[in-house]
Amino acid sequence: MGSSEESEARLRLPQLKLDELLEELQARLDAARGTRDRVHSLLEAVLSVGRELELEQALRSIVEAAAVLVDAEYAALGVIGPDGKRLSAFHTVGVSAEEIARIGPYPEGHGILGELIRKPEPLRLAKISEHPASYGFPPNHPPMNTFLGVPIRVRDQVFGNLYLTEKRGGAQFDEEDVSVTSTLAVAAGVAIDNARLYEESRLRERWLRASAEITHSLMSGSERMEVLGLIAEGAREITGAALAVVAVPMEDTGSLTVELAIGRDAEAHRGLVVPVDESLIGQAFANAAPVISPDVSHDTRVSAGPPRFSGLGPAAAVPIGTGDGVRGVVLLVRESGRAAFSEKETELLQGFAAQAAIAMELAARRQDAEEIAVLKDRDRIARDLHDLAIQRLFATGMTLQSAGRFIEHEEASERVRRAVDDLDETIKIIRSTIFGLRSREGAAGSGLRARVVRIVGETAPVLGFTPSVRMEGLVDTDVPKGVADHVVAVLSEALTNIARHAHAGRADVVLTTAGRDVRLTVADDGVGIPPDGRRSGLRNMAERARQFGGELEVSSPPEGGTTLVWHARIPQD
């Protein structure tokens, strides 16, 4: 009996060892199969990430691949902003659009997310709330405990971080998860770099096409305003700006005027006059270099005037031209909440503006050549009129005058004298025409625009502030000198009255013309006109308006101050 049991035990022992060996082998096979499947999944993730050339889609693909690779319920990719301290973009997986709307704004990089920004190295946590840097979650945020964070580097610079939470099945993230996620992060860095290069090449191509269009338009003889419109619209479309403004210098005034505005609230900008000193656009013009503003709606360098950047944020003012050849400034403004203009964007924008300036310079030289040709032709015509027409008319007159002495018939003699007088008048008319042909344009800065800006500049020290100025229409062309003199006189009187009596802190000047009339509006936020105040100045302004079939209106808006509107009709030839 004893020997039988011993024999059976000896037979059972190898069987147990064989079972253990088989189980261990199966475990190793399962582990190998799992590793093989994991490696296969990693390779698939790397391939899927590498296929994308659009940057936004590449980032989305990276987040989705990471979530699948480590079996995480939630995943996100935070892009670090230019300051290196905050997140400028946040791409998520696992949270619906409705949940995102309830949670509120995307995180900026506080708490655990900021920990990876400060220390760009893998971080694995069993419970987020137990970490010293834990910042807590906003209301309506889904609960999260387990956490894995891995930085993404692009060319040795940290681009952003991968954040993974809540491994499915209640498991913890392990070292293998860290390893495969770090490997994916390396592939993601390459994919992001490729997408950036692709995006940059496409952007350069768009800038080149826009430059070619502007050059072609200028060389084919397009109007200046049409070309400025191409510059503004091209820059606005390529940069994704909501507003584009083009300002050009006003001769002999030290100011810039907005000749063209396209996009959001463009009407509030057209015709606006801004000083070169201490203004956002003026700095770009004076320094011949781009000027960036993270939020133009709160920028102290924005010139005086009514609010005109509501709902707008990041801005870039770029000179059109370089050095002493700056021909103007293009201002681009994005909607509030959009990304600020990067150094690369402003570099490309400046190159585009410089090429546009060269094209404008060539067109100006061509126009000068055409004007010189016209002037030479006018000189030739004037010379021919003087040397040929006048001399022949004068000789004819002398002949008739001599012949008149031999005419005895009184009526015939009188007709000859009248003919001689007519010839004298004709000679005077031709001489006047010759003088007109040979005359040149008046002195620079004598136009109504320049005169208005000078008046405003001269009264600024007395007022204690610089009024905002906006002019619309062909002010210099459509308003004749006689009417322009009255406009200047009324403006000077209105600003002087504000300085003496209004105790104002702001004044706005608007001058507009549509060709048939001219309208000057001067508004201030002062104490208004007292009932018993002197009215002689207002009577003089009203009389000036009546001389041209116009009128003067003075009102006090509900918000306070005084609004003066002077209107006059322009005489038609």
Side-chain angles (χ1 to χ4, degrees), residues 153-371:
R153 286 181 169 84
V154 177
R155 297 192 180 187
D156 296 329
Q157 289 187 339
V158 179
F159 171 83
N161 297 303
L162 269 174
Y163 306 113
L164 302 147
T165 61
E166 294 301 287
K167 189 174 178 71
R168 298 182 189 277
Q172 297 288 327
F173 293 108
D174 54 25
E175 286 296 334
E176 190 174 341
D177 291 326
V178 175
S179 178
V180 295
T181 308
S182 298
T183 304
L184 178 65
V186 173
V190 175
I192 291 168
D193 192 30
N194 288 338
R196 275 179 163 180
L197 291 172
Y198 176 72
E199 190 176 75
E200 185 178 321
S201 67
R202 289 184 62 192
L203 193 60
R204 287 185 184 278
E205 183 183 352
R206 293 180 69 187
W207 283 122
L208 288 173
R209 280 203 303 267
S211 296
E213 184 180 359
I214 290 168
T215 302
H216 179 268
S217 179
L218 280 167
M219 294 300 101
S220 61
S222 296
E223 293 294 330
R224 182 168 175 273
M225 284 299 292
E226 183 180 344
V227 175
L228 291 179
L230 285 175
I231 293 173
E233 187 58 45
R236 186 176 78 96
E237 180 183 350
I238 294 173
T239 60
L243 171 70
V245 168
V246 177
V248 296
M250 296 179 64
E251 196 169 5
D252 295 336
T253 63
S255 300
L256 300 165
T257 180
V258 176
E259 282 211 3
L260 187 138
I262 298 174
R264 183 166 178 169
D265 297 331
E267 288 294 334
H269 297 268
R270 293 191 186 113
L272 192 70
V273 176
V274 297
V276 171
D277 299 331
E278 299 180 357
S279 69
L280 186 69
I281 293 177
Q283 282 186 11
F285 179 82
N287 300 328
V291 178
I292 306 299
S293 174
D295 187 358
V296 72
S297 61
H298 296 91
D299 199 314
T300 56
R301 295 171 294 182
V302 172
S303 59
R308 54 191 183 276
F309 291 107
S310 176
L312 298 175
V318 178
I320 303 175
T322 57
D324 296 332
V326 178
R327 306 183 69 87
V329 177
V330 56
L331 173 70
L332 298 167
V333 190
R334 286 174 175 157
E335 291 181 345
S336 180
R338 293 284 305 279
F341 285 86
S342 66
E343 185 178 344
K344 179 62 68 176
E345 282 182 305
T346 53
E347 178 187 335
L348 293 171
L349 180 56
Q350 191 175 15
F352 164 74
Q355 290 182 9
I358 293 172
M360 290 173 69
E361 182 70 22
L362 290 173
R365 292 289 175 265
R366 185 195 64 191
Q367 185 177 357
D368 289 344
E370 291 175 352
E371 288 180 356

Side-chain angles (χ1 to χ4, degrees), residues 4-280:
S4 175
E5 291 177 356
E6 290 176 2
S7 176
E8 187 178 345
R10 281 195 299 270
L11 291 172
R12 202 163 44 240
L13 184 60
Q15 183 66 40
L16 291 173
K17 289 182 177 180
L18 181 59
D19 291 342
E20 290 175 2
L21 289 172
L22 288 173
E23 288 177 2
E24 184 179 351
L25 178 60
Q26 185 64 44
R28 289 179 180 273
L29 287 172
D30 291 341
R33 189 180 297 109
T35 303
R36 183 197 64 190
D37 293 342
R38 198 98 191 248
V39 170
H40 182 69
S41 299
L42 177 60
L43 290 174
E44 283 187 345
V46 169
L47 289 172
S48 68
V49 166
R51 290 191 196 101
E52 301 297 341
L53 287 177
E54 297 285 347
L55 182 57
E56 290 296 315
Q57 188 57 42
L59 298 178
R60 180 76 181 178
S61 178
I62 290 166
V63 179
E64 292 174 348
V68 172
L69 199 58
V70 298
D71 204 21
E73 186 174 352
Y74 304 107
L77 193 159
V79 179
I80 299 175
D83 61 359
K85 298 178 181 178
R86 297 182 181 180
L87 298 177
S88 61
F90 204 71
H91 304 267
T92 62
V93 167
V95 184
S96 66
E98 292 77 11
E99 289 175 309
I100 292 173
R102 288 197 298 270
I103 294 170
Y106 282 120
E108 295 183 354
H110 301 293
I112 298 296
L113 304 188
E115 184 72 12
L116 261 78
I117 297 175
R118 293 185 292 272
K119 299 177 182 178
E121 55 189 35
L123 177 64
R124 181 164 55 95
L125 302 173
K127 196 171 183 63
I128 296 175
S129 59
E130 293 178 354
H131 193 279
S134 179
Y135 194 76
F137 295 110
N140 301 315
H141 195 284
M144 295 180 182
N145 291 297
T146 55
F147 175 86
L148 173 60
V150 175
I152 297 176
R153 286 181 169 84
V154 177
R155 297 192 180 187
D156 296 329
Q157 289 187 339
V158 179
F159 171 83
N161 297 303
L162 269 174
Y163 306 113
L164 302 147
T165 61
E166 294 301 287
K167 189 174 178 71
R168 298 182 189 277
Q172 297 288 327
F173 293 108
D174 54 25
E175 286 296 334
E176 190 174 341
D177 291 326
V178 175
S179 178
V180 295
T181 308
S182 298
T183 304
L184 178 65
V186 173
V190 175
I192 291 168
D193 192 30
N194 288 338
R196 275 179 163 180
L197 291 172
Y198 176 72
E199 190 176 75
E200 185 178 321
S201 67
R202 289 184 62 192
L203 193 60
R204 287 185 184 278
E205 183 183 352
R206 293 180 69 187
W207 283 122
L208 288 173
R209 280 203 303 267
S211 296
E213 184 180 359
I214 290 168
T215 302
H216 179 268
S217 179
L218 280 167
M219 294 300 101
S220 61
S222 296
E223 293 294 330
R224 182 168 175 273
M225 284 299 292
E226 183 180 344
V227 175
L228 291 179
L230 285 175
I231 293 173
E233 187 58 45
R236 186 176 78 96
E237 180 183 350
I238 294 173
T239 60
L243 171 70
V245 168
V246 177
V248 296
M250 296 179 64
E251 196 169 5
D252 295 336
T253 63
S255 300
L256 300 165
T257 180
V258 176
E259 282 211 3
L260 187 138
I262 298 174
R264 183 166 178 169
D265 297 331
E267 288 294 334
H269 297 268
R270 293 191 186 113
L272 192 70
V273 176
V274 297
V276 171
D277 299 331
E278 299 180 357
S279 69
L280 186 69

Side-chain angles (χ1 to χ4, degrees), residues 2 139 430 451 471 516:
I430 294 175
R451 295 174 70 185
M471 290 180 268
R516 294 187 173 275

